[in-house]
Amino acid sequence: MTERDDPTQLLSKAQRQAVRQLLRIAPVADELGARFEGAGHELALVGGSVRDALLDRLGHDLDFTTSARPEDTKRLLAGWADSVWDVGRAYGTIGGTKDGFHIEITTYRADSYEQESRKPAVAYGDSIADDLVRRDFTVNAMAVMLPGHEFVDPHQGLVDLGRQTIRTPGTPQQSFSDDPLRMMRAARFAAQLGFEVADEVVSAMGTMAERIDIVSAERVRDELSKMLLAADPRAGLTLLVDTGLAARVLPELPALRLEIDEHHRHKDVYEHSLTVLEQAIELEERLPGDGPDLVIRLAALLHDIGKPKTRRFETRGGVSFYHHDVVGAKLARKRLTALRYPTAVVNSVTELTRLHLRFHGYGSGEWTDSAVRRYVRDAGEELARLHVLTRADCTTRNRRKAQALQRSYDSLEERIERLAEEEELASIRPDLDGNQIMRILGIAPGPVVGRAYQHLLEVRLDRGGLDEDEARDELLKWWAEQPESAS
């Protein structure tokens, strides 16, 4: 019997964990609670902080709610916290740090969206009950009053935590009307926590999907990123697609569900893309840095989004997707830009999408030095991610074919490492610079210098490094064939 089958097992474990976590933060939380109590205000640890304490995953970010208005909160933090800021004051939030903890304190809220508004109307509540009923989900609608440690759980969040279920405090319709982004958040929690989303919540997500249109692109982007960086993105993405939300925020994803024609069999591109994402996650340890990599996860998910627009049924029964890498790169750039992703992220994902077939373009794996140099040059700073994406893109069930592809890519990486020891592959340049070109040819700056430079770069890629005399001879040979040389 699992903990989900018998929620009392998880509850008992969660309660013990919560006690341990609350004791850890008590020096800061209780002192802060006493400070607010002394000023005649209520203060409670709330939301994700209580949930994470019960799950034994509480970090150094602490969320509180209070009856105090923002100006009172700021005054009470002054002189006690190590630092204080009020950038969230318009939404009732004052932040600060204390003894290594990041603290955010928000006045009891009762927010809601107007029908066509992209921003919630901020309204303050009068009690902890008002605040909790407006929270997104029951597992986030629990509080611990401070400094007395009274546990407040009017919506059975602890029970839902034991059942590992995502449910709303009130009706899902009311919750999603208050903030439509909560529909995406439900999918994100499914991905992060491995919880099941209650049937009535899923149903409301489907019927209210169009409400997500009023939410700003930045907020949608942040939820999508958190979902992709979670432990099981597939769970959340599947829910978004099944409820119609993905069709509104990332329409390229459900578009990958190409119909299966019994006479034109081909891979299910949607399922393939989710599998590539999962395999890329397994290979992330190959990348520099710690933790999940948003760029490789976005690239894995989007690498084939050009296929629906390029699909062609061949006369002999096959299916082709010629140039889907180029088309997909354009689509990825357009979608990520619309979602307000940083330019660096957009550029990296676009390049990886454009290059994801490059490995297969070199045939059976018998790579020339020239091909290796070009591969490294084209990948540039994305070489490590391109290695991961290319490996993850193999989802064939044919074991022999999969092993052959793996051996071929192993061989390529070995070739890259060997050539890198001999040459500076990551920064390949022609053997002559612009000044040398102009001096040898006796020409002034202009387009011809650029063409000569590009020619020498192609020679460098094909033949490797040349000494100065060889490079000069190659330049003069090229120049003799140019119409400008005769003038």
Side-chain angles (χ1 to χ4, degrees):
M1 178 180 290
T2 66
E3 290 177 337
R4 179 170 283 167
D5 296 327
D6 182 8
T8 59
Q9 293 183 31
L10 183 59
L11 288 182
S12 176
K13 178 182 178 182
Q15 289 160 340
R16 292 194 302 272
Q17 291 168 167
V19 170
R20 181 167 64 251
Q21 293 286 0
L22 291 173
L23 287 173
R24 179 173 67 85
I25 68 170
V28 169
D30 288 354
E31 188 176 320
L32 187 60
R35 194 174 180 88
F36 273 71
E37 184 180 57
H41 302 295
E42 294 179 346
L43 182 77
L45 189 71
V46 73
S49 292
V50 176
R51 180 200 70 222
D52 287 346
L54 289 162
L55 293 174
D56 203 24
R57 46 181 278 172
L58 181 61
H60 285 77
D61 293 340
L62 304 180
D63 293 327
F64 298 90
T65 187
T66 181
S67 60
R69 294 300 189 255
E71 59 272 17
D72 296 320
T73 296
K74 186 175 182 180
R75 178 176 53 81
L76 287 167
L77 285 180
W80 176 82
D82 299 328
S83 63
V84 180
W85 57 86
D86 62 357
V87 291
R89 185 168 183 161
Y91 297 96
T93 300
I94 303 296
T97 58
K98 178 69 173 181
D99 296 344
F101 288 98
H102 179 281
I103 295 166
E104 288 194 350
I105 305 174
T106 303
T107 301
Y108 292 155
R109 295 274 290 272
D111 299 348
S112 64
Y113 275 78
E114 298 298 332
Q115 189 65 29
E116 302 301 328
S117 173
R118 285 184 172 270
K119 294 182 179 180
V122 177
Y124 296 136
D126 296 321
S127 67
I128 187 69
D130 289 342
D131 184 86
L132 295 181
V133 75
R134 291 297 183 124
R135 297 268 163 177
D136 51 5
F137 306 111
T138 58
V139 295
N140 294 330
M142 299 178 282
V144 177
M145 303 302 296
L146 299 168
H149 295 177
E150 175 192 354
F151 182 58
V152 183
D153 182 21
H155 306 289
Q156 302 300 302
L158 189 59
V159 172
D160 286 337
L161 192 71
R163 292 173 177 165
Q164 299 183 328
T165 300
I166 299 298
R167 203 167 51 81
T168 55
T171 67
Q173 291 77 10
Q174 180 61 57
S175 182
F176 298 155
S177 291
D178 285 348
D179 185 352
L181 189 68
R182 291 173 177 176
M183 294 185 286
M184 288 193 66
R185 202 172 294 153
R188 190 242 295 179
F189 282 130
Q192 282 183 332
L193 303 176
F195 286 12
E196 292 183 0
V197 181
D199 290 343
E200 69 273 16
V201 176
V202 174
S203 177
M205 291 168 67
T207 58
M208 299 180 69
E210 65 180 19
R211 284 283 287 161
I212 199 67
D213 295 348
I214 72 169
V215 180
S216 70
E218 291 82 0
R219 296 185 74 213
V220 169
R221 172 202 65 205
D222 291 346
E223 278 301 320
L224 179 61
S225 295
K226 290 175 184 177
M227 183 187 307
L228 286 173
L229 294 173
D232 182 19
R234 178 190 278 263
L237 292 167
T238 300
L239 186 55
L240 290 186
V241 171
D242 291 345
T243 57
L245 278 161
R248 311 198 76 88
V249 301
L250 192 64
E252 294 80 7
L253 181 58
L256 294 176
R257 279 183 161 175
L258 304 177
E259 68 273 14
I260 303 298
D261 186 306
E262 61 179 330
H263 302 297
H264 300 91
R265 293 186 178 181
H266 59 275
K267 285 183 178 179
D268 182 330
V269 185
Y270 169 73
E271 288 296 329
H272 165 75
S273 297
L274 293 180
T275 300
V276 173
L277 171 59
E278 291 175 323
Q279 294 184 167
I281 292 172
E282 293 176 0
L283 294 170
E284 278 181 330
E285 62 186 21
R286 289 172 168 263
L287 299 176
D290 298 322
D293 188 289
L294 179 62
V295 167
I296 192 60
R297 295 189 183 202
L298 280 168
L301 182 66
L302 302 179
H303 75 285
D304 272 346
I305 61 173
K307 281 191 171 180
K309 285 185 176 293
T310 58
R311 181 175 59 161
R312 298 289 183 273
F313 293 119
E314 305 296 343
T315 55
R316 295 184 179 181
V319 179
S320 67
F321 302 97
Y322 294 124
H323 306 303
H324 76 268
D325 48 342
V326 177
V327 173
K330 293 178 180 178
L331 291 174
R333 178 176 295 281
K334 182 177 180 180
R335 176 56 51 197
L336 296 179
T337 300
L339 286 170
R340 305 290 194 272
Y341 273 98
T343 301
V345 172
V346 175
N347 289 343
S348 293
V349 175
T350 299
E351 269 303 278
L352 288 167
T353 303
R354 184 179 69 84
L355 294 171
H356 81 274
L357 292 180
R358 190 62 55 89
F359 166 74
H360 302 284
Y362 287 107
S364 63
E366 298 175 358
W367 290 57
T368 64
D369 286 352
S370 173
V372 174
R373 294 187 193 101
R374 292 175 189 276
Y375 190 83
V376 173
R377 180 198 62 175
D378 291 348
E381 295 180 356
E382 298 304 327
L383 181 61
R385 288 190 177 115
L386 185 58
H387 287 332
V388 167
L389 179 59
T390 304
R391 288 181 180 276
D393 197 21
C394 176
T395 61
T396 179
R397 294 180 181 179
N398 184 319
R399 190 171 181 178
R400 174 181 288 182
K401 183 178 179 181
Q403 290 176 339
L405 284 170
Q406 181 175 328
R407 287 194 300 270
S408 182
Y409 210 83
D410 287 343
S411 174
L412 170 60
E413 289 200 50
E414 290 171 3
R415 292 284 301 284
I416 290 173
E417 290 179 9
R418 187 166 66 251
L419 275 177
E421 293 177 359
E422 301 169 2
E423 310 174 29
E424 295 182 10
L425 285 184
S427 57
I428 291 178
R429 299 288 186 273
D431 297 289
L432 299 175
D433 62 26
N435 290 327
Q436 291 172 302
I437 291 171
M438 289 186 288
R439 186 177 67 252
I440 292 170
L441 299 183
I443 60 176
V448 175
V449 179
R451 283 165 39 210
Y453 186 91
Q454 186 61 38
H455 171 72
L456 290 176
L457 177 58
E458 294 299 321
V459 172
R460 174 76 172 77
L461 290 168
D462 284 335
R463 295 165 51 185
L466 306 177
D467 62 34
E468 187 170 346
D469 288 340
E470 290 174 324
R472 183 178 183 279
D473 290 343
E474 184 62 45
L475 175 63
L476 292 173
K477 179 181 176 182
W478 171 85
W479 178 240
E481 298 172 354
Q482 306 308 304
E484 294 89 346
S485 67
S487 59

